[in-house]
Amino acid sequence: MAEQAASSFVTYELQEDVAHIGLNRPEKRNAISDAFIEAIAGAVARAESEAKAAVLYGHGDHFCAGLDLAEHVRKSPMEGVRSSRRWHAVFGGIEHGTIPWISALHGAVVGGGLELAAATHVRVAERSAFFALPEGQRGIFVGGGGSVRVARLAGAARMTDMMLTGRVATAEEAERWNLVQYVVETGTARAKAHELAMITASNAPISNYAVINALPRIQDMAKEDGLFVESFIASFTATSPEAEERLRAFLEKRAARVRAPGALEGG
Ligand code: 1HE
C-alpha cells in the first residue's frame, strides 16, 4: 500500500483569523508517525505566518492515540532519541510560538496525544474524551514533553499514578486535575475552541505573546527572578502603541467593560 503523503496527515483551513488544524489519520486513530510530525510542523509554521490564533482537533472518533507504535517498534535507541527531540521541537513551536493554540479534545487523548494537547495553551474537552498515559503498559516512557508539560499541569503525583497504573481519566476528572480548562457537550469542542480562539485573536498580539511565552518561563524561575522579569514585560507591553490605544479606548468608554458572568454589557 502506498505511504500516506505527509501533507495529508493534517487538514488546514483558515476561518476568519483562526487556523483550524485537523489531525487526519483516523484509520490509525491519529497515531503520530515521523511523517505525521513533519506535517504538524508544516501546519504550525503556516499558522504562525497567517493566523492570529489556532485550533487543533482530531478527525474521526478520537483526538490522538499518541505515538505510532508500529513505526516505533522498528527504531534503534538513537533513532528514538532523534524522534523524541523532533517532537520536542515541534511541540515547543506550538507552546512558545507567537499565537495562542486552543485544542478541541474528543475520544482518546492518549500518550503522545495528551503530550500534544499539553503543548497547546487552552484545552477544551468533550464529555466523551478520555485521558491516559499507557506508556508503562507498553514498556516505554513519555517522549513528547509529557514529563515536563503534563507533570506541570496535573502535578507529578497524578502523572505518576496515570503512568504506573494506566488509570484512564474522564473529561470531568481531567478538568479537576487541571489537564483541561473547559468540558463541553459531545460534538461541540471545536466550535467552543473557535469561539475562544476568536476572543484571543482580538487581544493585542504582544499581550498574547507575553502570556504564552512568559508565564511558563516565570513558573520555572525563582520568585524574585520571576518578579523582576514580570516588571520588564509589564512595562514593555504597557508602553506599546497597541496598549496606548486600548487603554485610551477604555478611558473614553469605547471598550467593553469586564462584567460578571451572565450580566449584560452596558447593564
Ligand atoms: C495504532 C495506535 C498507535 C491505534 N500506534 N497504531 N498509544 C497507545 O498505547 C494507545 C493505543 N491505542 C488504543 O488504545 C486504541 O487504539 C484507542 C483507544 C486509541 C482507539 O481504540 P479503537 O477501538 O477505536 O481502535 P483500534 O481498533 O484499537 O485501532 C484502530 C487501528 O489503529 C488499529 O490498526 P488496524 O491496522 O488493526 O486497523 C490499531 O493498531 C491502530 N492504532 N493506536 C499505531 N498508537 C513521543 S512518546 C509518546 C508515547 C506514547 O504515545 S505511548 C501511547 C501509545
Side-chain angles (χ1 to χ4, degrees):
M1 202 181 83
E3 291 282 313
Q4 186 171 1
S7 57
S8 70
F9 281 114
V10 297
T11 56
Y12 184 101
E13 59 189 284
L14 196 60
Q15 285 183 21
E16 299 161 276
D17 282 329
V18 178
H20 279 247
I21 289 151
L23 306 174
N24 191 30
R25 197 191 182 196
E27 71 286 1
K28 295 288 179 189
R29 308 314 185 241
N30 297 325
I32 301 175
S33 60
D34 290 346
F36 197 157
I37 201 84
E38 296 313 322
I40 296 173
V44 171
R46 185 169 168 196
E48 278 275 327
S49 73
E50 64 185 20
K52 290 187 177 161
V55 168
L56 182 67
Y57 67 100
H59 289 281
D61 293 337
H62 303 279
F63 175 69
C64 176
L67 178 69
D68 183 330
L69 298 170
E71 188 178 73
H72 198 69
V73 85
R74 295 187 294 266
K75 285 194 170 151
S76 71
M78 233 13 245
E79 284 170 341
V81 167
R82 282 194 198 99
S83 130
S84 166
R85 295 300 288 160
R86 186 65 187 137
W87 282 48
H88 290 168
V90 175
F91 292 4
I94 293 174
E95 186 186 22
H96 295 303
T98 60
I99 58 172
W101 285 72
I102 322 289
S103 49
L105 309 173
H106 76 297
V109 186
V110 168
L114 178 53
E115 296 183 283
L116 174 55
T120 64
H121 304 106
V122 180
R123 286 157 292 277
V124 179
E126 296 188 354
R127 283 190 200 287
S128 70
F130 55 99
F131 301 76
L133 294 170
E135 280 82 351
Q137 290 146 284
R138 309 278 178 250
I140 59 176
F141 191 65
V142 283
S147 62
V148 173
R149 295 193 188 93
V150 177
R152 273 170 174 68
L153 287 175
R158 288 276 187 222
M159 186 170 175
T160 304
D161 177 24
M162 290 175 83
M163 289 193 73
L164 289 181
T165 68
R167 183 172 177 175
V168 181
T170 63
E172 283 79 9
E173 284 170 326
E175 186 185 27
R176 280 205 300 279
W177 299 355
N178 202 31
L179 286 172
V180 304
Q181 282 64 56
Y182 297 84
V183 177
V184 298
E185 293 312 317
T186 298
T188 66
R190 196 173 158 200
K192 180 69 179 177
H194 182 78
E195 177 194 322
L196 297 172
M198 286 296 289
I199 295 169
T200 67
S202 70
N203 294 338
I206 193 115
S207 293
N208 283 344
Y209 181 73
V211 170
I212 66 182
N213 281 277
L215 279 185
R217 287 183 171 88
I218 289 174
Q219 274 212 309
D220 290 341
M221 290 178 190
K223 185 177 151 196
E224 281 306 319
D225 297 336
L227 294 173
F228 176 80
V229 170
E230 182 190 273
S231 296
F232 267 85
I233 296 173
S235 178
F236 183 74
T237 53
T239 53
S240 68
E242 261 176 331
E244 194 185 331
E245 162 50 25
R246 284 165 184 259
L247 296 174
R248 206 179 296 285
F250 175 81
L251 296 172
E252 292 169 2
K253 305 205 181 303
R254 289 184 282 115
R257 261 50 190 163
V258 178
R259 294 287 182 236
L264 294 175
E265 175 57 30

